[in-house]
Amino acid sequence: MARRGAAAPALALALLAVALSEVGAQGAALEDPDYYVQEIWSREPEPEPFSPPLPAGAGAEEREPRPPEPKPPKRATKPKKAPKREKLALEMPPPGKKNNRKGMRTKSSEKAANDDHNVPVAHEDVRESCPPLGLETLKITDFQLHASTAKRYGLGAHRGRLNIQAGINENDFYDGAWCAGRNDLHQWIEVDARRLTRFTGVITQGRNSLWLSDWVTSYKVMVSNDSHTWVTVKNGSGDMIFEGNTEKEIPVLNELPVPMVARYIRVNPRSWFDNGSICLRMEILGCPLPDPNNYYHRRNEMTTTDDLDFKHHNYKEMRQLMKVVNEMCPNITRIYNIGKSHQGLKLYAMEISDRPGEHEVGEPEFHYIAGAHGNEVLGRELLLLLLQFLCQEYLARNARIVRLVEETRIHILPSLNPDGYEKACEGGSELGGWSLGRWTHDGIDINNNFPDLNTLLWEAEDRQNGPRKAPNHYIAIPEWFLSENATVAAETRAVIAWMEKIPFVLGGNLQGGELVVAYPYDMVRSPWKTQEHTPTPDDHVFRWLAYSYASTHRLMTDARRRVCHTEDFQKEDGTVNGASWHTVAGSLNDFSYLHTNCFELSIYVGCDKYPHESQLPEEWENNRESLIVFMEQIHRGIKGVVRDLHGKGIPNAVISVEGVNHDIRTASDGDYWRLLNPGEYVVTAKADGFTVSTKNCMVGYDMGATRCDFTLSKTNLARIREIMEKFGKQPVNLPARRLKLRGRKRRQRG
């Protein structure tokens, strides 16, 4: 696939013209991950690996008292504003979030640390440059994490990752932290960076647990080049004690007084919650130093050739970026909004089509949604990158993208919950925690805020003596849900109206915190179970759709990859039936399937909900092909138009497939699209007032839906009604007339 074209530099220039001045410097840094480090060390001598002697008493076994007044850390609850970026590339940080990590330092503390450790003092602009090493994103492998002791395997060092979640059973292999085997001052957990690294800070959390309260309240930090000789970070002449956590979920950042260059870094707890144990989760901030001979660095290195805006965008920047793309590709893009959030922010969507704003007969409609959970930011940024990419590649005449745009009407909604995102953005990528910004402003989880149509369907199916066959599609929304007093988010109502207005065929909602594609049903049929495989009548189609994304992702189907938290989805090749994972009533997937024609899936794009900005190029490479392949699946199955004898399209005609207990309906122009796997199908079209038509339709393996049109003639009764209405008369209701005559005869006899 062509990655660059004439449009790529033009889009970059347009972004610069609207005050996104940092894009150019970020693009340069992304082409060389060590760009910024090289610039810094070209101005000062490269530090030699150090192996200073242990400080006096460092190996003693005496128990030290817990520090009464540790130094206050930087907390997520009160983030400090990031300083303004300079426009010159040499003064720019490498690609990374404009985060809240800048700490207060004095020249005296820098001098003291420099005297004690013989580490070069960094310039002021270096302080905020280092991103996370990657404990949360799994870039740091389990083999790089070590600890003094562990309570058991499920609480080993490999579980000491920021934001890692425990399983349902917290005493299994998947618990929620590293926990030391003993509660004493000689416990530690360390990270092997596998190369010289400029360490700048440590972020800690307590144990993720529903039942237990375990966290570390203070700790020391030590560094080493050989894992044998350790140097403790000092504050002046004494060992520095960092203040840890005051509860178990909110991450706390502590910056080192000056950066330390070493290969290993170790956290040594000094005090912990009185009623708990030594347990923590952590992330390390550090800049790997240039080392082209380092095997591990080369193996994990990821670059991209796409010239895109790799940064986190707040609401204003997102809107501006969409405007830039629209200006670059005005002939194929249109910006509109589907409603407003609780706080009044417009829910912007972009349409990409060869005829924006117009539904073309025979052209299917697709959508991507992201940001239903405001703190799951990766999906939001992937969709903004996708907008740029489609525009660039279309202008560059990439044949694949041109065909996709001209044969599909694509709708992209990058941020369904902008209120939640703005809240998560305040905490930042590392300090936001697992749930900050997840819900809407009024505390509603959009992901399960849709009407529960599953129960209505299954209850109707269970009534064997019902007079009519239970409907299997277009199930009506309950009246209570439509009332103003119902607990329904404004964002949810907007999406429902959007999906009822546009005849979507296929959609994906991007989420975060896992690496898997989930397909419906999301709700279990057995009311007493929390996990149960609950397939739809189109289970084989959904499995294929899910696999099309997972199999083209760089990591989802990799059997060697580590599980994000507790679930291993490799048995289904990176896919899972939603109900067999965890039951959710009122999900978007189930609602779309039962109320509209749309086949909807949930795509979990990464273990880290809110990755650091420096990870965006790699995440884009992981997901780019999958995002395109999934859109292309809309052209599998059958399509056609249902017309009357005069050639006029019949809306709301029902399309049934023999053996599949789920129907779809035609759009306003009589056109339809039915997703099906390859095979031969008996398809029936029917509509009120028309005769039924049935034909065989063959679906092949090649891309492109099979054309399967229907022409329906009106029934005799429908013709009689038309004739009588034409002459101002109503057709005779024969059963009612018979009853009337019988009643008259009885009265006459009486």
Side-chain angles (χ1 to χ4, degrees):
M1 181 191 300
R3 299 284 167 77
R4 290 178 181 268
L11 179 58
L13 289 174
L15 292 170
L16 288 170
V18 292
L20 298 177
S21 59
E22 59 267 38
V23 174
Q26 288 182 353
L30 289 173
E31 293 180 359
D32 182 1
D34 294 316
Y35 167 82
Y36 182 60
V37 176
Q38 291 170 354
E39 289 295 334
I40 293 171
W41 290 103
S42 65
R43 287 176 282 160
E44 55 186 44
E46 177 124 348
E48 294 293 330
F50 66 90
S51 298
L54 284 171
E61 299 296 319
E62 68 272 16
R63 182 177 178 88
E64 301 179 18
R66 297 183 185 180
E69 296 181 359
K71 182 180 177 180
K74 284 75 184 172
R75 294 183 179 274
T77 52
K78 293 184 180 179
K80 192 179 178 89
K81 228 179 174 185
K84 246 184 177 178
R85 292 186 175 188
E86 297 293 334
K87 292 186 179 180
L88 295 177
L90 291 181
E91 299 300 322
M92 284 284 297
K97 215 177 89 51
K98 289 185 278 189
N99 50 40
N100 308 309
R101 295 200 190 109
K102 181 145 173 43
M104 299 299 294
R105 304 193 325 287
T106 63
K107 293 183 179 179
S108 60
S109 66
E110 291 177 355
K111 185 177 185 302
N114 187 38
D115 293 341
D116 285 342
H117 302 299
N118 197 26
V119 177
V121 178
H123 295 294
E124 186 68 23
D125 59 347
V126 181
R127 289 292 299 154
E128 55 187 306
S129 65
C130 291
L133 290 186
L135 277 75
E136 184 175 5
T137 61
L138 307 183
K139 189 174 182 180
I140 295 294
T141 68
D142 288 352
F143 301 104
Q144 293 174 260
L145 298 171
H146 308 278
S148 52
T149 60
K151 283 189 174 181
R152 49 185 169 76
Y153 178 79
L155 292 168
H158 65 291
R159 302 296 296 177
R161 300 173 180 272
L162 192 71
N163 286 321
I164 203 166
Q165 301 295 293
I168 297 175
N169 301 314
E170 295 181 9
N171 58 350
D172 58 11
F173 289 159
Y174 303 107
D175 219 315
W178 161 70
C179 290
R182 300 183 301 273
N183 289 339
D184 59 46
L185 298 180
H186 309 299
Q187 305 305 312
W188 47 263
I189 180 172
E190 71 181 43
V191 180
D192 176 6
R194 286 181 170 165
R195 59 186 296 189
L196 281 182
T197 301
R198 190 178 182 85
F199 297 115
T200 61
V202 177
I203 303 172
T204 58
Q205 272 176 318
R207 178 180 180 178
N208 176 247
S209 172
L210 291 174
W211 321 110
L212 301 172
S213 297
D214 298 318
W215 60 81
V216 170
T217 56
S218 68
Y219 58 88
K220 291 182 180 180
V221 176
M222 294 175 278
V223 294
S224 172
N225 281 330
D226 56 10
S227 77
H228 297 291
T229 303
W230 292 88
V231 172
T232 303
V233 174
K234 295 185 178 297
N235 185 16
S237 59
D239 294 348
M240 186 166 185
I241 304 294
F242 295 93
E243 184 178 346
N245 301 85
T246 56
E247 58 91 70
K248 55 190 175 184
E249 286 299 335
I250 298 178
V252 173
L253 164 65
N254 278 292
E255 292 180 312
L256 306 187
V258 293
M260 303 288 287
V261 176
R263 171 175 169 174
Y264 301 87
I265 186 167
R266 175 179 288 185
V267 172
N268 168 221
R270 309 309 294 172
S271 63
W272 44 93
F273 181 56
D274 289 339
N275 297 321
S277 302
I278 297 178
C279 296
L280 63 80
R281 295 172 285 170
M282 69 176 185
E283 181 63 87
I284 304 297
L285 307 182
C287 295
L289 300 188
D291 184 4
N293 298 318
N294 189 298
Y295 164 74
Y296 294 107
H297 173 58
R298 295 199 313 272
R299 186 182 67 174
N300 296 324
E301 200 171 45
M302 170 59 65
T303 58
T304 181
T305 58
D306 293 328
D307 188 9
L308 307 175
D309 188 20
F310 293 105
K311 59 166 285 185
H312 286 297
H313 299 80
N314 60 29
Y315 181 78
K316 182 178 179 180
E317 292 168 337
M318 177 191 75
R319 184 177 58 187
Q320 188 64 49
L321 178 61
M322 295 173 74
K323 181 180 178 183
V324 170
V325 173
N326 177 240
E327 291 172 351
M328 289 294 300
C329 297
N331 296 330
I332 62 167
T333 62
R334 176 178 71 99
I335 301 174
Y336 64 101
N337 74 81
I338 68 169
K340 292 184 178 181
S341 70
H342 185 273
Q343 291 289 87
L345 298 179
K346 292 181 179 179
L347 306 178
Y348 285 107
M350 176 171 280
E351 175 191 341
I352 302 178
S353 170
D354 57 340
R355 292 186 182 178
E358 177 184 347
H359 170 72
E360 299 180 61
V361 176
E363 185 170 294
E365 310 240 9
F366 176 93
H367 74 248
Y368 271 131
I369 299 173
H373 295 150
N375 64 330
E376 294 171 8
V377 177
L378 178 55
R380 169 195 178 105
E381 295 305 331
L382 287 175
L383 292 190
L384 292 178
L385 292 168
L386 181 62
L387 291 176
Q388 302 171 61
F389 181 80
L390 292 175
C391 173
Q392 287 185 6
E393 296 301 305
Y394 185 85
L395 294 178
R397 307 310 294 171
N398 180 323
R400 183 186 185 190
I401 301 302
V402 170
R403 182 170 58 252
L404 181 64
V405 170
E406 292 181 348
E407 296 180 359
T408 318
R409 192 179 180 205
I410 303 167
H411 302 257
I412 296 179
L413 179 66
S415 184
L416 177 56
N417 182 7
D419 297 348
Y421 173 81
E422 293 302 307
K423 186 178 294 184
C425 185
E426 293 176 6
S429 62
E430 281 69 57
L431 300 182
W434 187 252
S435 60
L436 181 66
R438 174 185 176 91
W439 300 278
T440 63
H441 185 78
D442 48 345
I444 297 175
D445 186 341
I446 298 176
N447 194 49
N448 57 357
N449 190 225
F450 292 84
D452 172 16
L453 304 182
N454 304 60
T455 301
L456 298 178
L457 170 68
W458 295 332
E459 286 179 350
E461 290 179 346
D462 291 339
R463 289 194 294 266
Q464 299 296 335
N465 57 350
R468 300 178 61 185
K469 185 179 178 182
N472 62 21
H473 74 300
Y474 273 58
I475 299 174
I477 298 175
E479 290 186 10
W480 66 264
F481 188 90
L482 300 174
S483 68
E484 294 183 1
N485 296 328
T487 307
V488 182
E491 297 86 348
T492 306
R493 295 188 189 276
V495 170
I496 291 176
W498 185 46
M499 299 191 72
E500 289 179 334
K501 180 180 179 181
I502 300 176
F504 291 117
V505 179
L506 178 63
N509 56 90
L510 273 55
Q511 301 188 45
E514 267 296 351
L515 202 55
V516 68
V517 182
Y519 54 89
Y521 289 122
D522 288 334
M523 180 180 175
V524 298
R525 184 156 188 168
S526 303
W528 59 87
K529 292 185 178 180
T530 57
Q531 293 177 308
E532 179 186 45
H533 184 73
T534 310
T536 66
D538 285 287
D539 189 56
H540 292 294
V541 177
F542 275 115
R543 284 174 179 266
W544 169 256
L545 293 171
Y547 185 69
S548 71
Y549 193 100
S551 62
T552 49
H553 190 279
R554 288 185 62 251
L555 299 175
M556 277 191 189
T557 55
D558 186 353
R560 300 168 299 175
R561 76 172 182 87
R562 184 195 187 282
V563 299
C564 290
H565 301 281
T566 64
E567 302 283 349
D568 186 356
F569 299 107
Q570 292 307 309
K571 60 184 177 181
E572 290 190 41
D573 293 319
T575 69
V576 67
N577 172 256
S580 68
W581 182 12
H582 55 260
T583 184
V584 174
S587 74
L588 173 58
N589 294 350
D590 292 0
F591 169 80
S592 299
Y593 184 68
L594 296 176
H595 186 69
T596 74
N597 288 342
C598 186
F599 284 40
E600 184 91 17
L601 292 86
S602 293
I603 303 169
Y604 293 79
V605 291
C607 303
D608 188 353
K609 291 183 177 184
Y610 196 159
H612 189 270
E613 215 167 62
S614 60
Q615 292 295 118
L616 293 180
E618 182 171 350
E619 293 295 352
W620 168 245
E621 288 294 321
N622 289 342
N623 288 276
R624 180 188 57 223
E625 180 66 14
S626 301
L627 289 167
I628 297 170
V629 167
F630 186 71
M631 285 191 286
E632 291 173 334
Q633 303 314 304
I634 201 171
H635 297 286
R636 289 194 178 274
I638 60 175
K639 68 177 181 179
V641 181
V642 181
R643 300 183 177 91
D644 61 17
L645 292 177
H646 302 288
K648 183 180 179 181
I650 302 174
N652 287 319
V654 177
I655 306 297
S656 302
V657 178
E658 187 177 279
V660 182
N661 187 29
H662 182 77
D663 303 333
I664 64 165
R665 298 199 180 200
T666 57
S668 58
D669 296 311
D671 48 347
Y672 77 92
W673 306 263
R674 184 44 162 109
L675 297 176
L676 292 168
N677 285 344
E680 185 174 355
Y681 298 91
V682 178
V683 184
T684 300
K686 55 186 176 182
D688 291 340
F690 292 87
T691 58
V692 176
S693 177
T694 300
K695 60 173 60 178
N696 292 334
C697 301
M698 176 69 72
V699 177
Y701 286 89
D702 295 335
M703 184 63 70
T706 301
R707 188 85 187 201
C708 202
D709 295 328
F710 293 88
T711 300
L712 306 183
S713 58
K714 291 189 176 180
T715 63
N716 290 334
L717 181 58
R719 289 174 181 171
I720 292 172
R721 285 175 176 168
E722 277 189 357
I723 293 171
M724 298 191 74
E725 287 175 359
K726 183 176 181 181
F727 293 99
K729 295 182 179 180
Q730 296 296 323
V732 177
N733 189 325
L734 295 179
R737 183 170 178 81
R738 289 194 190 102
L739 291 173
K740 187 176 181 180
L741 290 174
R742 287 174 187 171
R744 185 182 300 172
K745 288 179 181 179
R746 290 193 194 98
R747 288 193 296 271
Q748 289 174 354
R749 290 171 186 170

